[in-house]
Amino acid sequence: MATLLKLRAGADRLGMRLMITSFVVIAGFTYWLSVTAKPTEILPPDQEDELANLITLAQFSTGPDEYLGEVVSLEDIEIVANFGNHGHWINLVDVNRNGYLLYVSDSVRADTTAVSRVAEGTTVAVTGRVVATTDSVVDVWEAAGAFTSEADRMVAQGTRYLNFIEVTGIRVLETPPPGGGGSGSG
């Protein structure tokens, strides 16, 4: 039994030495990494690079169906009304000022700072793909929780003639406050 205790005592001393050695090696490796690593510079995305196939709202309004399936960017468009949890209405500049739907994709909705600033009356620039409204699209929207009521689904299904833009990029444009931007106090 004494031999067994001697063997265990030797193993205990070896275990402590290995533990201390591993801490020293890890500390040394961490120090070496901090000294030799180059700092990473994170550049914000250039807003102008996000705009693909930039067209004016007037060009788009003359024939939105011509852009079906294409990625387009529109600047200086005003949000007229919100639609459900994922959409916004804009007015085209055609004679009837027809409404047009912007469907905000989940990847854009994940950026809550941009989406939370989009409200009625906000001027935005958007990039997205022009997509036809079909039953399968409406079903996917419903599964994603895009509708707040059955009426929203009926409106979406009733807009067959009206395609939509699935927004993959949105930027709120800064607009001067009413009254010329002055503070009003003299």
Side-chain angles (χ1 to χ4, degrees):
M1 176 104 140
T3 317
L4 183 58
L5 290 177
K6 277 187 168 181
L7 288 175
R8 281 196 73 170
D12 285 342
R13 278 188 255 130
L14 181 60
M16 182 60 83
R17 287 183 189 148
L18 287 175
M19 184 176 67
I20 292 172
T21 303
S22 66
F23 284 132
V24 169
V25 168
I26 291 172
F29 180 68
T30 305
Y31 174 75
W32 176 79
L33 279 177
S34 68
V35 170
T36 59
K38 294 179 182 174
T40 303
E41 183 178 348
I42 300 174
L43 297 174
D46 187 10
Q47 296 292 347
E48 298 304 319
D49 291 343
E50 293 178 8
L51 301 178
N53 193 16
L54 181 63
I55 56 175
T56 66
L57 187 57
Q59 290 171 323
F60 185 77
S61 296
T62 59
D65 291 340
E66 295 174 18
Y67 298 98
L68 195 61
E70 292 184 30
V71 174
V72 297
S73 292
L74 301 170
E75 285 188 306
D76 298 327
I77 57 175
E78 183 178 342
I79 301 298
V80 176
N82 294 327
F83 177 72
N85 294 323
H86 293 232
H88 304 286
W89 288 105
I90 63 170
N91 282 338
L92 299 178
V93 292
D94 59 355
V95 177
N96 298 325
R97 295 202 39 87
N98 286 322
Y100 203 85
L101 184 61
L102 302 177
Y103 178 81
V104 181
S105 66
D106 289 336
S107 60
V108 175
R109 286 178 46 82
D111 181 10
T112 56
T113 57
V115 175
S116 66
R117 294 178 48 204
V118 178
E120 295 176 15
T122 306
T123 303
V124 297
V126 298
T127 299
R129 183 173 303 280
V130 181
V131 181
T133 307
T134 62
D135 286 334
S136 59
V137 168
V138 173
D139 291 341
V140 169
W141 288 359
E142 184 172 34
F147 305 126
T148 56
S149 67
E150 185 62 33
D152 286 348
R153 182 180 170 83
M154 290 173 36
V155 167
Q157 283 180 321
T159 58
R160 294 270 178 256
Y161 66 95
L162 188 66
N163 299 320
F164 66 96
I165 297 178
E166 183 176 14
V167 177
T168 56
I170 192 164
R171 180 175 41 130
V172 177
L173 301 176
E174 300 301 326
T175 56
S183 63
S185 61

